[in-house]
Amino acid sequence: MSTPQPIPRRSSPRRLQQASLLEAPSLLMGRLRGFSSHRSLTWLACVPIALAGLGVFNLAAHAAELPELTPAFLANNGFILFCAALVIFMNAGFAMVESGLCRQKNAVNILAKNLIVFALAATAYWFIGYKIMYNAAWVIPGWLKFGGLFFDPTVTPEMVTEGKLVPSVDFLFQLAFAGTAATIVSGLVAERIKFGEFIIFSLILCGILYPISGSWQWNVGEGWLNKLGFIDFAGSTVVHSFGAWAGLIGAMLLGPRIGKFVDGKPQAIPGHNLAIATLGCLILWLGWYGFNPGSMLALNEQVPYIAVTTTLGGAGGGISATLFSQFTGGKPDLSMTINGILAGLVGVTAGCDGFSMPAAWVIGFIAGILVVYSVALVDKLGIDDPVGAWSVHGTCGIWGTLAVGLFNLDKGLFTGHGFTQLGYQIVGAVAIGLFSIITSWIAWTVIGKIFGGIRVTEQEELEGLDIGEHGMEAYPDFVSASN
């Protein structure tokens, strides 16, 4: 019997202690499991930013001598803090609507995107976005602000005596809107985008792009659109159509999902859980009571009125979308009812403080009709929008913005005040739309060039992004062959 030969051993890697200063970082990363891909290194690149915020640039609240807190101060700040929480909770609604209207093999990916996008928004908007959008000097008056990094949370005696919002509350509320714009993008690019590349785009959108165009309107008396006379009370254009345009460009660059179009004809790809999608719609409707009434930025007599016009817009949209889906498809379509409600809510957002109650319902009703036809038009154009995000936030965001020029009680065409306001509304919708289109196209293109494209491989798409991007399944005990 032959003597067993010793099993050859791999040469041991060079010890970290023996490595040179240049070799040490790569050797250390190689020994840490999970840091071998470019995606992991992308995440790692965020660490210096976080450390800078926590260390060198950390801003602590300055202890100032404050007068006794007034009822107005407490009421206004408490109300806006509550509204901020409602808007932040809308992320749950977006996650449920989007995942429910898409296939189960991509559920984890969609949930992960909607969850992480708010963390990304909070970081980017805190790091730089808020100081581009507010509380900073104009670099180009009316067009571009920049005030450095982070914001000063100091509470002054004037804020207390005059019942103003403290910087931290204002930041949280504005952050919630930035996160909403990024979440809209997720729906348009669902089921075929790389997770890491989506993250990078979200950081750019929340930290730079959205704050720039938002500053044009929401710096009262300073932004060029605001000085022009453009009205967008709670963001039909500033938030909703801006995010929709950014997502639409991403969807066009990505191309349609495999199987969406056969011989040029659109094919239905049903969602896997309409119960979750319906719950998501109701959560979003609830969140809108923070989105619209909170945009008053104070607790006053107009808040209940805005809540009612918001409700009527959503109601009108849900009714009309249900009816028109019945007329066009022969039966009422639940997914259209969901999108109709959301379309109506988007439609009244721009002018909910200045619409009569009947006008709010009519605007929502028209939005519900538009969303049904917009979904069909997007399909005919060969663009794949898995959840109808463009139709809800883009088409109806534009409609809601124009509706201010038609129905506003003090400036609308239909209320006897001429075409002037409608002209301002067209300028604002076009300006922010063009800015979103151009900058998003640049951002998506550059990201794709750097990382070798923004779309997953054909195999990953067929297998499902849950496995390809995350290595897990949303329903491991109920996996079907077709998903």
Side-chain angles (χ1 to χ4, degrees), residues 107-126:
V108 168
N109 178 258
I110 290 167
L111 294 171
K113 284 192 302 174
N114 280 271
L115 188 59
I116 197 63
V117 77
F118 184 70
L120 298 168
T123 302
Y125 199 68
W126 165 70

Side-chain angles (χ1 to χ4, degrees), residues 7-375:
I7 299 174
R9 300 182 63 181
R10 296 180 182 176
S11 58
S12 59
R14 190 173 183 181
R15 297 179 62 189
L16 185 61
Q17 294 90 334
Q18 299 172 337
S20 68
L21 185 61
L22 294 177
E23 295 171 328
S26 60
L27 184 58
L28 178 61
M29 291 301 99
R31 295 198 179 180
L32 295 178
R33 183 180 179 184
F35 283 100
S36 58
S37 68
H38 76 274
R39 183 175 302 160
S40 299
L41 294 175
T42 299
W43 279 102
L44 188 64
C46 298
V47 172
I49 297 175
L51 293 177
L54 294 174
V56 179
F57 296 105
N58 185 43
L59 293 172
H62 300 292
E65 290 295 331
L66 298 177
E68 183 177 355
L69 304 185
T70 64
F73 175 81
L74 293 172
N76 290 337
N77 281 276
F79 172 64
I80 299 305
L81 183 61
F82 175 71
C83 289
L86 283 178
V87 180
I88 291 169
F89 189 57
M90 290 174 75
N91 286 280
F94 280 117
M96 290 184 177
V97 169
E98 188 181 335
S99 62
L101 293 179
C102 290
R103 292 167 291 184
Q104 77 172 54
K105 66 181 181 180
N106 299 312
V108 168
N109 178 258
I110 290 167
L111 294 171
K113 284 192 302 174
N114 280 271
L115 188 59
I116 197 63
V117 77
F118 184 70
L120 298 168
T123 302
Y125 199 68
W126 165 70
F127 183 72
I128 191 172
Y130 186 72
K131 294 293 284 185
I132 290 177
M133 195 164 179
Y134 298 109
N135 298 336
W138 290 100
V139 179
I140 303 175
W143 290 84
L144 179 64
K145 280 191 168 194
F146 183 66
L149 307 179
F150 312 102
F151 70 96
D152 184 355
T154 301
V155 181
T156 65
E158 179 189 18
M159 295 174 188
V160 176
T161 57
E162 298 183 9
K164 294 181 178 180
L165 298 182
V166 300
S168 297
V169 168
D170 185 59
F171 167 78
L172 278 177
F173 188 69
Q174 302 301 337
L175 158 65
F177 281 62
T180 299
T183 304
I184 293 167
V185 176
S186 175
L188 275 143
V189 299
E191 299 202 284
R192 74 266 201 209
I193 193 168
K194 294 178 182 177
F195 187 72
E197 283 67 7
F198 171 78
I199 284 171
I200 295 170
F201 181 81
S202 297
L203 285 169
I204 295 170
L205 184 142
C206 294
I208 300 174
L209 305 185
Y210 166 77
I212 290 175
S213 61
S215 72
W216 299 347
Q217 172 59 20
W218 284 345
N219 283 278
V220 178
E222 297 180 6
W224 76 270
L225 277 178
N226 187 272
K227 289 197 293 185
L228 177 70
F230 177 62
I231 295 174
D232 190 358
F233 179 73
S236 287
T237 283
V238 173
V239 178
H240 291 279
S241 68
F242 178 87
W245 281 117
L248 184 68
I249 297 302
M252 294 172 68
L253 292 173
L254 282 167
R257 292 166 292 172
I258 297 170
K260 175 60 181 176
F261 296 98
V262 177
D263 297 328
K265 296 182 179 179
Q267 306 297 311
I269 301 180
H272 83 283
N273 195 329
L274 290 180
I276 288 295
T278 301
L279 179 59
C281 175
L282 291 170
I283 290 174
L284 286 170
W285 197 338
L286 176 66
W288 240 281
Y289 295 117
F291 208 97
N292 286 2
S295 293
M296 182 54 62
L297 300 180
L299 182 59
N300 60 25
E301 74 286 352
Q302 287 185 273
V303 166
Y305 184 87
I306 294 170
V308 173
T309 56
T310 298
T311 304
L312 292 173
I319 291 169
S320 62
T322 303
L323 290 174
F324 274 78
S325 69
Q326 169 99 43
F327 295 154
T328 58
K331 293 183 180 180
D333 185 330
L334 175 59
S335 66
M336 286 300 174
T337 302
I338 291 170
N339 278 338
I341 290 171
L342 301 180
L345 292 166
V346 171
V348 296
T349 291
C352 52
D353 64 325
F355 294 145
S356 69
M357 291 185 182
W361 190 90
V362 170
I363 291 165
F365 190 89
I366 295 172
I369 298 171
L370 289 174
V371 80
V372 174
Y373 286 105
S374 178
V375 167

Side-chain angles (χ1 to χ4, degrees), residues 422-433:
L422 182 59
Y424 294 153
Q425 298 305 107
I426 293 172
V427 171
V430 171
I432 291 179

